[in-house]
Amino acid sequence: MLRRPVLNLIRPTAVLTVAVAGVVAAAGALPAQAARVPAGRTAAAAPGWRITRTFTTKNTFLDDVVAFHNGTAWASGETPAQTPVLYHLTGTGWHAVALPGPTGSFVSNVNASSPTNVWATIANEPDVAHLTSHGWVLVSFADGSDDVLMDGLATTSPRNVWVFTYDFTTKLPYAHHFNGSSWKTTQLPAIVDGNSLTELVSASSADNIWTLADKGSATVTMRYNGHKWQTFPLPASTVPAGQMVFVRQILAESASNVWIAVWTAKGEVAGPVVLMHWNGHHWSKAAGKPPAGVLSGPIAPDGRGGLWLGAQSGTGSPFFLHYRAGVWTRFRSPTNSRGPLTLSALVLIPRTRSLFGVGDLGANFGGDNGAAILKFGR
């Protein structure tokens, strides 16, 4: 189930505050299976990736997650009533925090630079939510009666926040930059888009903001270098002849180290695994020989120079891939009696080698049997 938003945007104004409070979501932890093994082989049961929290009510969705070195975290999603919700991890567990929004809206992207600088997009509404000392404040991007798509956001500090939108009425894409006191809107050379709900934008600094984008019929990337936006197309050799390519999620670790997870397919057959790397000058395929399968999108650093990636077999069975310096390693995905896990997002917990992941349980491409939070490491 792909839930892409359709919304409204332009001049931000704080309109509503929601206190950061809530109740513990009904959930239960289940054991998981994961282990490090050579590429192409499946791991035996051992500590590693595991499900730490399940939300068993049908049609509970989780889309994105951010984490902090102090042990707190935020996960975004949708309630069974199809309304926006965030889950806040504190010392007493995960607590639900409802955000305003009509039926059919949800919290898609959540991004942060610190526990006190957290932002989230309200999909199917013209709003971005900002965590303040008074709770969550909504910032409206409504522009008259225009339908505006909220395409993503990124922040590296309270004085550097980017929100990306597309106006269906004017058919123009925009970037909106917040410097801590005011917003500035810039028309973009391409539409921020990808075959994903989350992680279409990634930033490592104020002068290294990257997005996945479409320009005409071509898949491109865009970078803001501190002065202007530039587009960089993916090479024609990204996929074999006859293959379709869908960019999924992007990770910018520095100006010379950017990664893209690519979904490939030929007809109804998915694969192969394609991971693209930007070295500061051009895009190329990551080195090494990956196992059979296809990247499903989620991508995050591992805290020691490598990457964690969400993947699927050609028949849709989920698994994890670890990549470092040309070496690919396959890990089992945790199992759950409520169905296969459709992984939505991964995030490294700062100053550690541990990660959180979020996803949905049930049928592929969006389960309807609840959702799960995963963890790797301590």
Side-chain angles (χ1 to χ4, degrees), residues 5-374:
V6 178
L7 321 112
N8 318 303
L9 152 260
I10 271 322
R11 293 165 207 82
T13 2
V15 295
L16 186 59
T17 300
V18 182
V20 180
V23 295
V24 179
L30 293 176
Q33 299 175 0
R36 193 173 191 279
V37 293
R41 290 196 297 172
T42 303
W49 283 105
R50 60 201 184 277
I51 294 175
T52 60
R53 179 67 73 181
T54 55
F55 301 85
T56 57
T57 305
K58 282 192 172 187
N59 298 317
T60 299
F61 294 98
L62 291 176
D63 293 312
D64 206 358
V65 59
V66 292
F68 310 103
H69 69 274
N70 64 0
T72 64
W74 291 92
S76 66
E78 178 182 351
T79 70
Q82 296 185 319
T83 56
V85 68
L86 286 160
Y87 295 95
H88 189 203
L89 176 63
T90 67
T92 56
W94 291 92
H95 302 263
V97 180
L99 293 185
T103 300
S105 60
F106 58 98
V107 186
S108 52
N109 299 270
V110 59
N111 197 259
S113 65
S114 71
T116 57
N117 182 45
V118 188
W119 296 75
T121 55
I122 310 297
N124 298 332
E125 283 297 291
D127 302 323
V128 169
H130 176 210
L131 181 62
T132 72
S133 58
H134 302 290
W136 285 93
V137 174
L138 294 190
V139 179
S140 174
F141 288 85
D143 185 27
S145 60
D146 288 5
D147 284 332
V148 178
L149 180 71
M150 305 296 272
D151 276 325
L153 59 85
T155 179
T156 61
S157 76
R159 296 183 179 182
N160 186 48
V161 184
W162 290 88
V163 175
F164 298 87
T165 62
Y166 177 75
D167 190 312
F168 281 103
T169 301
T170 63
K171 295 181 171 55
L172 294 174
Y174 298 98
H176 311 272
H177 181 249
F178 183 61
N179 63 7
S181 59
S182 62
W183 292 85
K184 178 181 179 181
T185 297
T186 303
Q187 185 178 326
L188 291 170
I191 301 169
V192 177
D193 198 12
N195 194 236
S196 175
L197 276 173
T198 61
E199 314 306 328
L200 300 177
V201 185
S202 185
S204 66
S205 66
D207 58 0
N208 190 49
I209 318 294
W210 285 83
T211 75
L212 300 174
D214 291 332
K215 191 172 185 179
S217 60
T219 296
V220 300
T221 58
M222 284 191 296
R223 183 198 175 201
Y224 180 73
N225 61 9
H227 303 285
K228 62 180 180 179
W229 286 94
Q230 296 175 293
T231 60
F232 301 94
L234 295 180
S237 59
T238 297
V239 296
Q243 288 271 335
M244 297 182 67
V245 55
F246 302 97
V247 292
R248 298 289 283 181
Q249 296 188 12
I250 188 168
L251 172 66
E253 298 192 90
S254 71
S256 59
N257 193 29
V258 186
W259 302 90
I260 294 177
V262 177
W263 175 284
T264 63
K266 186 174 183 179
E268 297 182 357
V269 179
V273 168
V274 174
L275 176 65
M276 301 299 293
H277 181 246
W278 174 266
N279 64 2
H281 303 284
H282 58 81
W283 288 104
S284 61
K285 288 183 183 179
K289 185 178 180 180
V294 64
L295 295 182
S296 56
I299 179 172
D302 69 354
R304 55 189 182 95
L307 299 172
W308 282 104
L309 301 145
Q312 293 180 0
S313 69
T315 58
S317 298
F319 61 92
F320 285 91
L321 284 175
H322 182 265
Y323 176 81
R324 185 182 183 191
V327 177
W328 293 85
T329 307
R330 176 173 168 152
F331 285 68
R332 280 185 182 174
S333 175
T335 58
N336 186 277
S337 61
R338 300 186 68 83
L341 176 72
T342 304
L343 191 68
S344 303
L346 294 170
V347 67
L348 176 69
I349 301 172
R351 306 181 194 176
T352 75
R353 295 180 181 178
S354 300
L355 294 92
F356 280 119
V358 295
D360 303 321
L361 298 169
N364 290 335
F365 308 108
D368 62 359
N369 286 334
I373 297 174
L374 302 86

